Amino acid sequence: MKQFGGFRLDTGNGCVWREGVRIALPPRPFMVLRYLVEHPGRLITHDELLDALWPETYVQPQVLRTYMLELRKLLGDDAAEPRFIQTLTKRGYCFVARVSDSEGEGDRGPGDTRQEATAAEGRRMVGRDEEMRRLHALKERAAGGHRQVIFVGGEAGIGKTALVDALCEGLGDGWGVARGQCVDGFAETEEYYPVIEAMSRLCAAGDGERACGVLERMAPAWSRGLGRTNVTASVTNSDRRPGDLCAALEQIAEQKPLALVFEDLHWGDEATLHLIGALARRRAPAKLLVVATWGAAGAEHPLRAMRQNLLMRQLCEELMLGPLPRDAVSRLVRQELGQEKLGQETLPAGLTAFVHQHAEGNPLFAIAIVEHLTARRFLVRDDADDARTWKLAGGFEEMELEVPERLAQMIELEIARLSAEEQRILGAGSVMGIAFPAWAVAAALEQDAAGIEEACAALARRVHFVERGGQDELPDGTRSEFYVFVHGLYREMLYRGLAATRRAEWHRRIAARLGEMFRGREWAVAREMAGHREAAGAWDGAVDALETGARHAREVREHGEARLLLEDALRLAEKLSGEERAERVRGLHREMGRGSGLRIVSGKA
Ligand SMILES: Nc1ncnc2c1ncn2[C@@H]1O[C@H](COP(=O)(O)OP(=O)(O)OP(=O)(O)O)[C@@H](O)[C@H]1O
Ligand SMILES: [Mg+2]
């Protein structure tokens, strides 16, 4: 782990530690901090940061400023006399504190199972070394009789299951393992569904006889109907007392430590959550390792409160999985293409960077993208080389156009889980791009901005669609929260899902609101305004906006900028028809002539 001025950067958990106290921070500010800490003592330009963290996506530079403010607050830093983050005006930032590696860096602990295959698919796990080390340490504690409850969280496809699989495989014969899977929609109707599944598996395992016996003796209502026992009497959930099961599990673990895995707890029922809570709270020594994964949990889902409660009391550990680093994605790509044993040169230049950029560190996305590239034959084996190497059939630009089918389906499913209102809000946000302020959504939906902010805040609390980006200061002095899509692909799918007329209408309303907000200073938002008007099909208005911007730029002697705006305006004017077009093109040429000091002799359109 990297250390600096009393802090430790925990990349495994996306947090920092100060004197043993965990300081949580949202994923994006954490990524910024991580980048700074990993590149100390030199100027990091805005562009470098944006390129490294949000390659290929437009992010309002303001986002960076907000993150720096947040980080300074968190580190107790002072912009005027920085101990950590120095702002180099108009250029970027410099991380000025001394950074050192704390002990253990680079070790490969016995729990580092990165070479272990990730379960069913036989895929080898890449990256996640720190997470595995941490899990290994917790497992050791559990084996020593200090029960552990661990929540593994992160967005869909980030590798929660893969991590838990690797952990379970690494446990070997010395451990008993019982897994239960929560299922979407079962929470209301099937109380304890994942617990019963886990107990069934435990009893049905090769050496499950003893566990089954203990259950029968200590928690008879739980053992009926499981694994090898026959159903002798019907059992209701009220007979199933959580305390009995906890005691039985502790007893089972006494001879052989026991790992209980619950997958996708955001779909879990309340009774199951209470049971896990009880396991975490009991004080008796027990060789129990409870690992629960969770993805998106609604604000109202009891899992959220339960986790926070346990965390606050230090009765559980939390591991949040962030994106895989570039080198891990690169290894994953090579592995997917069967190239892990061959040299770098067997893959087309830029391929792994392309995949990393689009997958944004999400392994499921990365795998789906590679699959898509080969299925569509963008990426083909090179016959000239005994098909050992791969080559590109076209340029990267063509590939940019598509979202792989599998991902599109997955994202559509995720979107479908949102309420209709949430879908509308995010759809309206997608009209703004990767980052969107609440005022724009409010304008598009003709709703009150405060209500939108509340809805977005609730959404941002659920992993993993949008997160809070900071605040926009509006010309009238009010502030508006803005949000950032966690993945460009989510934004893309939402935007695509909008009917063309609705999309155009929302763009039109946002342009109108921009116009009201910047009345008299329209030049300040010329490009944004033109963009929205263009998307709304209002070419004429878009040309107006750009021309206004260009005129202002000329007045303040920014001739280069004026020219760029006019060139854009000309491109748009071409979309007009007939006389209107000729007229506007002539006008724009005249305006250009003014800027350059040249007279245009023929105003040919
Ligand atoms: N570190 C990794 N190395 C190699 N492959 C990985 C890694 N992490 C995940 N994968 C692969 O990516 C895919 C998605 O991972 P996984 O199913 O573990 O994600 P998840 O977080 O459990 O997703 P969900 O929220 O849908 O349950 C799987 O095919 C898995 O094998
Ligand atoms: Mg999973």
Side-chain angles (χ1 to χ4, degrees):
M1 274 190 211
K2 301 272 184 207
Q3 275 184 337
F4 56 91
F7 292 91
R8 274 184 311 136
L9 182 82
D10 185 346
T11 51
N13 298 296
C15 68
V16 288
W17 295 84
R18 184 178 48 202
E19 289 162 2
V21 178
R22 179 179 188 276
I23 306 173
L25 66 173
R28 300 275 156 152
F30 178 78
M31 280 162 70
V32 172
L33 178 64
R34 178 177 179 169
Y35 195 85
L36 291 174
V37 171
E38 287 177 350
H39 302 86
R42 70 167 173 83
L43 165 70
I44 296 167
T45 62
H46 299 135
D47 282 349
E48 176 180 345
L49 253 184
L50 292 172
D51 279 349
L53 302 181
W54 293 277
E56 290 292 293
T57 35
Y58 173 71
V59 173
Q60 293 178 330
Q62 223 164 350
V63 175
L64 281 185
R65 232 183 48 217
T66 330
Y67 289 166
M68 295 305 168
L69 280 174
E70 253 185 89
L71 289 175
R72 284 206 176 101
K73 209 158 89 195
L74 186 135
L75 302 172
D77 205 8
D78 180 356
E81 277 179 53
R83 284 169 55 222
F84 299 107
I85 302 170
Q86 182 183 19
T87 300
L88 301 159
T89 316
K90 295 220 165 132
R91 289 186 296 156
Y93 302 95
C94 178
F95 195 77
V96 290
R98 211 174 72 81
V99 177
S100 60
D101 287 324
S102 62
E103 78 299 348
E105 173 95 345
D107 288 348
R108 272 198 65 180
D112 184 351
T113 48
R114 66 183 142 179
Q115 292 309 318
E116 235 107 47
T118 64
E121 294 154 280
R123 186 172 282 128
R124 284 182 184 287
M125 190 153 89
V126 299
R128 303 291 184 221
D129 299 1
E130 291 225 15
E131 288 87 346
M132 285 309 296
R133 259 198 286 274
R134 171 120 183 269
L135 284 177
H136 176 71
L138 294 171
K139 177 200 92 177
E140 291 293 296
R141 283 185 60 75
H146 301 279
R147 64 179 72 217
Q148 300 293 321
V149 174
I150 306 159
F151 290 101
V152 178
E155 66 189 58
I158 200 71
K160 303 179 290 293
T161 301
L163 187 77
V164 173
D165 286 350
L167 170 74
C168 290
E169 283 200 30
L171 291 175
D173 292 337
W175 279 73
V177 177
R179 289 179 79 136
Q181 167 77 51
C182 304
V183 180
D184 192 8
F186 277 25
E188 288 76 34
T189 52
E190 300 235 14
E191 211 166 54
Y192 290 125
Y193 175 83
V195 182
I196 311 270
E197 188 196 357
M199 293 307 105
S200 289
R201 291 226 213 163
L202 187 64
C203 288
D207 59 352
E209 204 106 26
R210 199 186 73 85
C212 219
V214 175
L215 273 180
E216 261 169 18
R217 199 159 28 82
M218 297 181 67
W222 289 91
S223 77
R224 261 171 249 154
L226 294 185
R228 304 166 185 200
T229 44
N230 295 319
V231 188
T232 49
S234 69
V235 53
T236 65
N237 274 325
S238 57
D239 300 331
R240 292 188 169 125
R241 291 204 307 252
D244 294 348
L245 184 61
C246 290
L249 289 171
E250 287 159 10
Q251 178 72 39
I252 292 170
E254 210 166 278
Q255 275 205 352
K256 187 172 176 179
L258 176 64
L260 283 169
V261 177
F262 297 108
E263 276 260 56
D264 299 323
L265 212 52
H266 49 280
W267 289 325
D269 59 284
E270 251 181 282
T272 297
L273 295 183
H274 288 315
L275 181 82
I276 295 173
L279 279 172
R281 281 162 199 273
R282 286 165 70 97
R283 314 294 325 163
K287 296 179 194 164
L288 275 175
L289 180 68
V290 182
V291 185
T293 65
W294 65 283
E300 69 293 345
H301 194 283
L303 170 63
R304 193 182 149 73
M306 180 251 199
R307 260 182 39 245
Q308 277 177 347
N309 217 321
L310 292 181
L311 269 175
M312 223 166 59
R313 294 176 168 71
Q314 299 187 321
L315 291 172
C316 72
E317 299 283 331
E318 179 145 79
L319 228 142
M320 289 302 290
L321 295 189
L324 286 175
R326 185 181 291 249
D327 65 319
V329 173
S330 165
R331 260 186 292 151
L332 186 57
V333 171
R334 302 182 64 73
Q335 198 170 289
E336 288 303 294
L337 294 170
Q339 304 288 299
E340 63 270 50
K341 297 204 176 64
L342 303 173
Q344 263 319 321
E345 65 285 357
T346 55
L347 289 185
L351 176 72
T352 56
F354 174 84
V355 175
H356 181 254
Q357 208 167 69
H358 287 264
E360 296 178 57
N362 182 309
L364 175 71
F365 286 20
I367 292 165
I369 291 169
V370 171
E371 235 175 58
H372 174 77
L373 294 180
T374 50
R376 295 295 312 274
R377 303 198 54 75
F378 284 130
L379 187 61
V380 289
R381 286 193 183 269
D382 191 351
D383 294 331
D385 184 29
D386 295 339
R388 268 164 46 94
T389 65
W390 292 82
K391 63 177 183 186
L392 289 178
F396 283 114
E397 320 75 53
E398 294 164 50
M399 302 190 228
E400 308 247 356
L401 300 175
E402 300 177 48
V403 179
E405 193 51 31
R406 187 146 80 96
L407 282 191
Q409 282 169 3
M410 189 199 92
I411 297 173
E412 264 166 19
L413 262 175
E414 297 265 305
I415 294 174
R417 288 209 179 94
L418 302 173
S419 71
E421 178 62 8
E422 288 170 337
Q423 291 184 29
R424 264 166 64 79
I425 289 176
L426 292 181
S430 76
V431 161
M432 290 296 285
I434 191 84
F436 61 90
W439 68 256
V441 174
L445 302 180
E446 297 184 316
Q447 284 181 18
D448 155 55
I452 299 290
E453 280 184 0
E454 274 164 25
C456 288
L459 260 171
R461 277 199 297 272
R462 313 156 62 144
V463 244
H464 258 303
F465 257 92
V466 286
E467 54 194 43
R468 195 172 158 262
Q471 284 193 331
D472 252 356
E473 181 156 349
L474 306 183
D476 65 2
T478 57
R479 290 173 166 274
S480 181
E481 297 282 337
F482 70 89
Y483 298 87
V484 185
F485 283 105
V486 176
H487 276 284
L489 293 176
Y490 284 142
R491 185 256 156 187
E492 173 115 6
M493 291 296 294
L494 280 155
Y495 190 64
R496 269 207 226 163
L498 302 176
T501 46
R502 169 174 295 187
R503 195 191 288 181
E505 179 58 18
W506 284 352
H507 277 293
R508 192 192 61 71
R509 289 182 191 164
I510 292 170
R513 181 82 185 97
L514 262 179
E516 284 164 20
M517 291 196 311
F518 287 83
R519 183 155 298 136
R521 294 174 59 231
E522 285 86 352
W523 49 265
V525 283
R527 281 213 172 77
E528 288 89 333
M529 184 84 108
H532 289 298
R533 287 184 176 162
E534 178 182 1
W539 319 123
D540 203 32
V543 175
D544 279 346
L546 292 170
E547 206 174 352
T548 308
R551 240 182 252 126
H552 178 268
R554 178 163 55 76
E555 278 161 28
V556 297
R557 305 196 159 279
E558 289 186 353
H559 294 297
E561 172 69 358
R563 186 167 191 90
L564 290 175
L565 286 162
L566 287 171
E567 279 169 5
D568 268 357
L570 270 171
R571 179 182 57 78
L572 282 174
E574 294 295 342
K575 300 192 179 187
L576 296 167
S577 53
E579 188 44 39
E580 197 187 4
R581 165 163 157 253
E583 174 73 21
R584 296 254 31 186
V585 170
R586 270 198 300 278
L588 290 169
H589 276 297
R590 265 200 305 279
E591 190 62 40
M592 259 187 185
R594 280 197 195 110
S596 63
L598 295 172
R599 273 189 56 222
I600 305 281
V601 180
S602 99
K604 209 166 129 253

